[in-house]
Amino acid sequence: MVALALAAVAPAASAQRARVDTLAGLVAMEDARGLDSLLLARALASRDPLIRRIAAVAGGRIGDRRATTLVAVRLRDRNPSVRAAAAFALGLLRDSAGVGPLVDVLTGGAPLDSATAAEAATSLVRIGGRRAPAVIAELLDREITVPGGRRAARAAALLESWRLGKDAPVAALRRYAADSTPTLRWAAVFSLSRLRPLEAAPDLVTAAADPLPETRSFAVRALTKTYAEKAGLRAAEVTDRLARATGDPDPGVRINALAALATFRDSTLAPIAVARLEDSVVNVRVQAAAALGMLGGAQASGRLAALAGDGDAPWAVRRIALVALALIDAGAFERSAAGWRQSRDWRDRAAAAEGWVAAGRGTAPFWLEDPDGRVIAAALQAWSDAVPGPDSALRAVARPLVSHPDAAVRSLAADALARAPDPRDVSALARMFATTGQDSFPNAAMSALKTLAAIAAASDSGRSVVEREFLDQVSRPDDYQLRLWAEQGWPAAASRWGPAFPVATGRTVGDYRVIVRRRLLGRPAERRPRVLFITAGSEPLEVELLGSDAPLTVEHFLALVDRRFFDGNRWHRVVPNFVVQDGDPRGDGWGGPPGAIRDEINPVRYRLPVLGMALDGPDSGNSQWFINLSSQPHLDGTYTVFGRVVVGATARGLGRITQGDSIVTIRRVR
């Protein structure tokens, strides 16, 4: 009997090892971004639905269009999760060859499950082309009966239609904006708020009073002065609607209404924003202060000056008050900023430097002598944002800064030089690039490349200098992000350096097996580990990580958690009613450890608060991440979702976090 039992166990163990090996091969292939067509084909034909599903998504993430035909076959898979994964992956591949199979699924007579229907409609819009708009219009036609899963396709088509731009079915969106189904109204209003077609302005005004807070939020954000004027709306009607929305029960609606109201730049509207400076939600007060900086007037100036000097007010409110004051009253700003400039806290000095830019840069740039590069970087970033084209004063300040010790300063300085390409800068930029190997993030190296490419493109003499002093001298960069940029933006460099992919990931076959056993095949606590975020002044957040959707990202994040990498950081970026962001030990949005991880885009949407990986271009994630504060469908399919907030997504938890708040710790709870 014992012999028989052992004989039965052996094949099962062998089958499990084969399963792990296949999945490990798929994860490794995806991580390296190098398509193995034979491996992918075998995996897509596996009897195991988990392997087929992982293979389909991997084919999409790698981005090699040779995978399109292989993945499309799985749209007819017997397993609904595999079908949905295949439909999703075709959207990642962005290959017009995937349009036909997606259309066949959506318009054929075969039964269609909701998940596959929604992913197919979404992917069809993302691929686009001449055929997609007609199919989307057909899905939205009220006269056509929509059975089963095609209802989900209709909802997805409404939500994604904005991606079609000028080919979007605006007439259909307007009809659905008045639909009796709240979720369909929400989806239609979202697309209209992104597209802002002139004929839909009355629909957005109506939607500003919708029963659903998210619908109101999208509608009011679209009602800017520019849009209202182009659409022929009466300013008084729009501002009255926005004024009422600033008192909405939902803080997200209040925030978006204040942002839209500010675009009218009318000081008579300032009392509306002043009233919200006492709001119970701190980030509404932040948005109110920002609005006053655009509305202007004596009342706005007085209140902002008082706030900037109020040591009892939250730092985020004081900071935005100081910068907003600089926009409308340079004299009052100079008086208020004196103490900020002398502060020991670099964040205060950085705020004063940003205000100096906003006030018109009328005096010498005091911040150039600051010992902290983060202050100089803040000023350069604000100046660059304020002057979009070439600027002789900015260029004069930037030129010597390409040799600054701080990588962020060097990056911004090189970007400023790129606006007016000059062959005389090539030597300094080449030296700058040579020093970037010590940087923990690649931005300075990338900026140097972009500026050198701009010089080479501007003139024959510039191209000659760049080739002689840079391309002939520099060796192939190890960082695939630099090679990827060259592939896409500088053929002369790419021809010398070779392709960006496949990537040498540094992981062994054994490493990938461990990741598979934990994140794809492990116990629930391994596939869905939980971490606790403790922020000073807010209730804790508990986040469930999505190992089966983003195994490499979760593994990377947990390694940083175990190192206590995030402990003591600050929420360096908080955009009211949009996102809160952390993961930068510098505290200004530029920092992180060396290296990068590949994107693991997955079907999880930015609806409820989720954890997303911050990026500076494709496959550039590392330590910085964000949590969305409200539904943000435009982020779907672009930023890796690798967790969801399961505890603390409340006014006392996530809703209390403001820019500059300290993160005490992030640690595992299971």
Side-chain angles (χ1 to χ4, degrees):
M1 294 293 290
V2 173
L4 289 175
L6 291 174
V9 168
S14 177
Q16 181 67 357
R17 282 195 300 271
R19 190 187 197 204
V20 169
D21 286 347
T22 299
L23 289 170
L26 290 171
V27 175
M29 177 181 69
E30 179 190 316
D31 194 17
R33 291 293 193 261
L35 179 65
D36 181 336
S37 297
L38 185 59
L39 171 62
L40 183 64
R42 284 203 306 262
L44 287 168
S46 170
R47 293 182 179 180
D48 187 336
L50 175 64
I51 291 176
R52 298 198 304 275
R53 179 177 67 80
I54 297 296
V57 174
R61 286 174 177 168
I62 291 169
D64 190 323
R65 291 182 174 180
R66 291 177 297 170
T68 300
T69 303
L70 296 172
V71 171
V73 172
R74 297 271 63 94
L75 289 172
R76 301 295 181 183
D77 197 278
R78 60 186 178 276
N79 185 285
S81 70
V82 178
R83 294 195 297 268
F88 171 77
L90 290 174
L92 295 182
L93 286 163
R94 301 288 203 277
D95 186 354
S96 60
V99 169
L102 290 168
V103 171
D104 290 344
V105 164
L106 288 168
T107 61
L112 189 61
D113 62 280
S114 295
T116 302
E119 295 297 352
T122 298
S123 291
L124 182 63
V125 172
R126 290 178 180 173
I127 296 170
R130 284 183 288 182
R131 195 176 178 189
V135 177
I136 294 301
E138 181 181 340
L139 284 173
L140 298 180
D141 191 336
R142 286 181 179 276
E143 303 304 319
I144 296 177
T145 302
V146 182
R150 289 183 176 80
R151 293 192 189 93
R154 175 172 283 177
L158 287 169
L159 193 62
E160 299 290 338
S161 283
W162 65 274
R163 299 181 192 269
L164 294 173
K166 62 181 179 60
D167 295 321
V170 172
L173 291 172
R174 293 186 65 192
R175 290 198 305 272
Y176 280 99
D179 197 271
S180 60
T181 305
T183 54
L184 295 183
R185 287 200 311 275
W186 169 78
V189 168
F190 173 76
S191 277
L192 289 174
S193 73
R194 300 286 295 180
L195 292 164
R196 299 186 187 181
L198 302 184
E199 64 270 34
D203 307 290
L204 290 170
V205 171
T206 300
D210 192 272
L212 194 67
E214 285 188 319
T215 303
R216 299 197 301 274
S217 179
F218 290 137
V220 298
R221 189 67 182 88
L223 295 176
T224 63
K225 180 182 180 180
T226 299
Y227 179 57
E229 287 179 343
K230 288 181 178 179
L233 296 176
R234 290 191 310 110
E237 176 189 4
V238 177
T239 56
D240 179 65
R241 174 63 74 183
L242 293 173
R244 279 181 278 160
T246 63
D248 194 276
D250 184 83
V253 177
R254 300 200 295 274
I255 288 167
N256 283 7
L258 285 164
L261 191 72
T263 66
F264 284 81
R265 297 183 179 274
D266 181 350
S267 61
T268 66
L269 301 174
I272 301 168
V274 167
R276 297 266 59 93
L277 291 176
E278 307 301 326
D279 199 279
S280 60
V281 176
V282 175
N283 280 316
V284 175
R285 293 154 62 187
V286 169
Q287 193 65 58
L292 287 174
M294 296 177 68
L295 294 171
Q299 185 181 18
S301 175
R303 290 303 301 270
L304 290 172
L307 266 179
D310 183 358
D312 293 328
W315 184 84
V317 177
R318 295 175 57 235
R319 175 199 166 275
I320 198 66
L322 182 72
V323 177
L325 179 63
L327 289 168
I328 59 174
D329 192 334
F333 163 74
E334 286 295 330
R335 293 188 293 274
S336 295
W340 292 69
R341 290 185 184 185
Q342 302 303 317
S343 172
R344 294 183 179 181
D345 189 333
W346 73 267
R347 298 176 304 141
D348 292 345
R349 303 196 305 276
E354 291 178 52
W356 176 88
V357 173
R361 307 176 299 281
T363 58
F366 68 90
W367 41 267
L368 276 175
E369 303 304 320
D370 199 283
D372 197 315
R374 293 172 292 186
V375 176
I376 302 173
L380 282 178
Q381 184 69 73
W383 196 345
S384 298
D385 292 343
V387 184
D391 182 87
S392 58
L394 174 60
R395 181 180 179 80
V397 167
R399 181 169 266 158
L401 292 177
V402 295
S403 61
H404 195 275
D406 189 276
V409 173
R410 279 183 271 125
S411 177
L412 290 161
D415 289 343
L417 296 184
R419 300 181 180 191
D422 188 333
R424 291 175 296 180
D425 294 324
V426 171
S427 295
L429 289 166
R431 289 193 298 272
M432 170 183 162
F433 184 84
T435 66
T436 58
Q438 303 302 313
D439 297 341
S440 65
F441 49 92
N443 302 70
M446 193 78 74
S447 294
L449 288 182
K450 291 177 181 178
T451 306
L452 288 163
I455 294 170
S459 66
D460 290 339
S461 61
R463 183 175 66 254
S464 177
V465 174
V466 169
E467 288 180 353
R468 183 177 65 254
E469 297 190 20
F470 180 71
L471 288 178
D472 290 347
Q473 306 298 323
V474 70
S475 57
R476 178 179 184 267
D478 292 331
D479 191 335
Y480 73 85
Q481 295 179 82
L482 302 181
R483 301 198 304 273
L484 179 61
W485 180 85
E487 278 187 32
Q488 298 169 345
W490 196 4
S495 65
R496 297 175 184 236
W497 297 343
F501 302 124
V503 176
T505 68
R507 288 190 173 101
T508 67
V509 173
D511 293 332
Y512 289 110
R513 288 178 181 137
V514 169
I515 292 171
V516 164
R517 291 190 183 102
R518 284 177 182 161
R519 309 302 169 208
L520 300 181
L521 301 175
R523 297 173 292 104
E526 293 176 311
R527 288 183 285 110
R528 293 285 192 270
R530 291 194 175 192
V531 290
L532 192 68
F533 296 57
I534 299 178
T535 298
S538 303
E539 289 186 352
L541 309 178
E542 190 169 324
V543 174
E544 181 182 67
L545 301 179
L546 308 180
S548 56
D549 294 292
L552 297 172
T553 307
V554 168
E555 196 76 11
H556 178 77
F557 180 76
L558 285 174
L560 292 174
V561 168
D562 291 343
R563 285 170 48 190
R564 296 290 190 241
F565 181 86
F566 304 111
D567 293 7
N569 283 2
R570 293 184 183 274
W571 295 95
H572 68 267
R573 180 176 181 239
V574 176
V575 182
N577 199 40
F578 181 43
V579 297
V580 296
Q581 187 167 328
D582 176 51
D584 172 22
R586 282 175 56 109
D588 64 349
W590 285 89
I597 59 174
R598 263 61 64 203
D599 299 335
E600 291 182 293
I601 308 301
N602 55 64
V604 182
R605 267 47 174 188
Y606 286 90
R607 299 297 180 271
L608 299 174
V610 297
L611 198 62
M613 181 58 66
L615 300 175
D616 194 21
D619 297 311
S620 62
N622 193 335
S623 64
Q624 292 195 37
W625 42 266
F626 62 90
I627 301 173
N628 59 304
L629 298 172
S630 59
S631 291
Q632 301 295 335
H634 67 290
L635 301 180
D636 296 345
T638 303
Y639 298 88
T640 301
V641 177
F642 65 101
R644 59 167 61 94
V645 179
V646 292
V647 177
T650 63
R652 298 181 62 84
L654 196 57
R656 279 196 176 179
I657 294 172
T658 63
Q659 184 175 347
D661 287 352
S662 175
I663 295 177
V664 178
T665 186
I666 299 179
R667 59 179 173 80
R668 298 194 196 213
V669 292
R670 75 172 192 190

